[in-house]
Amino acid sequence: MVKLVGQIIENRPIEEGTFEMIVAVPPTFSYLPGQFLHVRVADSYDPLLRRPLSIAWAASGRFGLIYRVSGRGMTMLSRKRSGESLDFLGPLGQPYPLRTDRPRAFLVGGGIGVPPLLGLAEALSEKGISVTAVIGAQTKDGLLLLDRLQPFGKLLVATDDGSVGFAGTAVQCLEERFGSGGERPQESVIYACGPLPMLRALDELAQRWRIPGYLSVEESMACGVGACLSCVVLRRGGPGESGRPQVVRTCVEGPVFASGELLWEAWEQPKWWEDTEETPT
Amino acid sequence: MQDAEGQPVGSPRLITQLGPWQLRSPILAASGCFGYGREYAAYLPLQRLGGIVTKGTSLKPRLGDLPPRMVETPAGMLNAIGLQNPGIETVIQAELPFLHRYGVPVIVNLYGTTPEEYAELAARLDGVEGVWGIELNISCPNVAAGGILFGQSPILARQVTEAAKRATHLPVMVKLSPNVTSIVEIARAVEDGGADLISLTNTFRGMAIDLHRRRPVLGNLSGGLSGPAIRPLALQLVWEVAGTVQIPVVGIGGIVSGDDAAAFLMAGASAVQVGTAQFIDPTACVRIADELEATMNREGFAQIADMVGAARQ
């Protein structure tokens, strides 16, 4: 957890609107899948803040960031050239736990949530886990990294418009596979990164099938180190905490949370955030 | 420079007299941007800071506002955290002892909903080890009760200040809101109420709209604007207040460099607080202090005191 500078080796489009940046760092650099870097996209103060980017993969002396070019900050990042330096904090946050007690893993990614699953797929397959990536997008043009995930196991693809693969969401696709009886959910773990509605549906699915699930959540973030309390979510209180929800920071206690931990209703209902004394439990 | 334990303490030229306090640097970490110091201890030597103003602290724990709590704006950001904090007792038991180990001056920012609550909080901190003073938050734009209400009325601002002063022996700094018609009136009122120092400004109330969802971005609807976007606005208010009151003024608002800090000192501030800049550079408070010394060399100032009000002569 330090402020570092790496040298950009490569920064180029790998798919329509999506870039991969490869950065050279000292060989001592290491990360665990699911962790992120807080990246400075420009030397100026406009745009002001760093951008949290999940680490897609790392090898000896280098790591890869895969990001969608949308908005001014990401456009500025995409214009950085090889040879320039990249200022970042990290690796930050809690990684996905690599569960070896169950032989099968389903890695569910939606839209730009796919990149961190790449390093995760590699780490799990190295441990002998049977990996299935379930990748979803609105249309086939939005599907990311299929060719890069392929070597680590099976691949299931879902598009909302049915232009390729399963017609529906990645979560519906997984549900159907489980329902058809071919996937042995009781031996499986779910890992996911993607938009909030996807994570929420997946959380519900994981609990219904009684499968451990790990969900990487994104909230609007400023400092990245736990000081500003911007990127918070509500976690259900455990039995020892009198059932009272706790405010947790996605940058420190997250971004990965276990299925069943998060109080999704809190995104919609201000009452959950009202005074502690009156907070419903 | 190093202290007795070999820790870096910065240049003696940065030593700053701020009201009753002699500080190692005129750069303090601003409330709400530095937690209770723990998160940033890994990034910079805390003992080099002029001081740390803690996260706003209330009597009881507060969960804060509904997310999203933050949105980036041009050269700035809007936040609506809603004063999430663990409450004064937890802060005293679990947070302040950590900071005390570093020997850095700690000023506890306090938030209440009545003058009596401010008094109770102030009294509770009297004599707590490592606490050098308190800062009264009468300017938070993101809570419904208390806070900014006191900062928008000269009579209430004075009452809150008096209540806190009566309750504690600690020096009392009052943090003003820019969301007022006449900040000078409020400044005079808190000075009359016995404030030892004034800090300004807190954030400017602002809003961003999510066009797709057709509603304000922030869970709290509106938020407080900070960052370089507000620097000229804050600087002008510091100029006005420093020209009005006799007590020392601490400048706050979008400071990201040594030159920015120098501008606030020259406008009449005796020291400054750095907030949002830390989110971009976690070493900001130390870097800005070093840059300020370079500014002093370049502009021909021997010590911090010589810069204070230099633009007013």
Side-chain angles (χ1 to χ4, degrees), chain B residues 125-190:
Chain B
L125 285 165
D126 214 354
V128 172
E129 213 171 31
V131 175
W132 285 41
I134 57 176
E135 181 180 68
L136 304 183
N137 180 354
I138 59 165
S139 43
C140 178
N142 300 325
V143 289
I148 200 167
L149 277 183
F150 297 113
Q152 289 178 328
S153 149
I155 296 165
L156 293 177
R158 181 177 173 152
Q159 282 176 4
V160 169
T161 308
E162 286 172 344
K165 276 299 286 181
R166 274 197 300 270
T168 185
H169 295 94
L170 291 166
V172 174
M173 175 153 71
V174 182
K175 186 169 183 176
L176 303 188
S177 169
N179 302 303
V180 294
T181 307
S182 169
I183 200 164
V184 164
E185 265 188 65
I186 309 289
R188 276 204 201 97
V190 304

Side-chain angles (χ1 to χ4, degrees), chain A residues 46 49-51 220 229 266, chain B residues 39 66 69-70 72 75 280:
Chain A
D46 190 30
L49 299 168
R50 289 173 181 271
R51 296 293 189 269
S220 173
L229 307 179
Chain B
E39 290 79 13
L66 177 77
R69 289 179 168 186
M70 192 281 299
E72 193 178 50
I280 300 103

Side-chain angles (χ1 to χ4, degrees), chain A:
Chain A
M1 196 179 75
V2 281
K3 185 168 178 278
L4 290 170
V5 176
Q7 194 183 36
I8 298 167
I9 300 173
E10 208 176 292
N11 188 25
R12 59 179 184 86
I14 53 166
E15 286 171 49
E16 180 64 33
T18 302
F19 271 60
E20 178 169 34
M21 177 185 278
I22 301 174
V23 180
V25 279
T28 49
F29 179 92
S30 70
Y31 93 112
L32 295 165
Q35 289 189 300
F36 68 97
L37 300 179
H38 213 22
V39 174
R40 186 120 189 240
V41 296
D43 292 333
S44 76
Y45 288 96
D46 190 30
L48 182 70
L49 299 168
R50 289 173 181 271
R51 296 293 189 269
L53 291 175
S54 62
I55 302 168
W57 57 269
S60 171
R62 56 177 60 189
F63 64 76
L65 302 174
I66 295 170
Y67 57 97
R68 183 148 289 173
V69 183
S70 68
R72 244 179 95 233
M74 289 295 105
T75 301
M76 290 170 96
L77 191 69
S78 73
R79 292 195 183 128
K80 285 188 181 282
R81 301 290 178 90
S82 59
E84 287 184 48
S85 59
L86 186 75
D87 169 340
F88 62 89
L89 311 178
L92 301 168
Q94 302 303 317
Y96 291 106
L98 301 177
R99 296 272 300 251
T100 52
D101 56 325
R102 289 175 164 233
R104 296 157 71 86
F106 288 89
L107 278 52
V108 187
I112 196 58
V114 181
L117 303 182
L118 197 55
L120 178 65
E122 186 180 2
L124 288 169
S125 72
E126 273 172 14
K127 290 188 179 294
I129 307 292
S130 163
V131 171
T132 302
V134 189
I135 305 304
Q138 288 179 326
T139 69
K140 77 174 167 38
D141 294 336
L143 293 165
L144 267 188
L145 300 174
L146 301 183
D147 56 326
R148 304 271 292 268
L149 284 160
Q150 188 80 66
F152 301 113
K154 275 199 299 181
L155 200 54
L156 299 174
V157 170
T159 51
D160 293 354
D161 67 351
S163 49
V164 63
F166 179 86
T169 67
V171 182
Q172 288 163 347
C173 176
L174 186 61
E175 179 82 62
E176 198 220 42
R177 300 292 290 220
F178 281 180
S180 70
E183 296 290 357
R184 287 181 286 174
Q186 67 284 359
E187 294 178 7
S188 303
V189 178
I190 293 173
Y191 301 90
C193 183
L196 214 66
M198 184 196 101
L199 297 177
R200 189 171 180 172
L202 209 51
D203 189 19
E204 192 271 325
L205 179 148
Q207 292 186 65
R208 191 155 29 81
W209 286 90
R210 300 175 188 277
I211 310 169
Y214 300 95
L215 316 168
S216 180
V217 175
E218 187 167 12
E219 253 305 331
S220 173
M221 188 182 290
C223 74
V225 301
C228 74
L229 307 179
S230 292
C231 64
V232 300
V233 294
L234 271 193
R235 183 160 70 188
R236 287 177 208 284
E241 294 144 354
S242 60
R244 192 157 278 165
Q246 296 174 299
V247 183
V248 289
R249 303 161 290 186
T250 57
C251 63
V252 175
E253 287 83 17
V256 176
F257 293 97
S259 174
E261 271 194 313
L262 296 179
L263 200 59
W264 302 99
E265 300 87 337
W267 269 271
E268 292 144 15
Q269 294 177 20
K271 69 168 185 181
W272 288 102
W273 300 84
E274 283 160 16
D275 194 82
T276 313
E277 308 290 290
E278 290 141 35
T279 299
T281 53

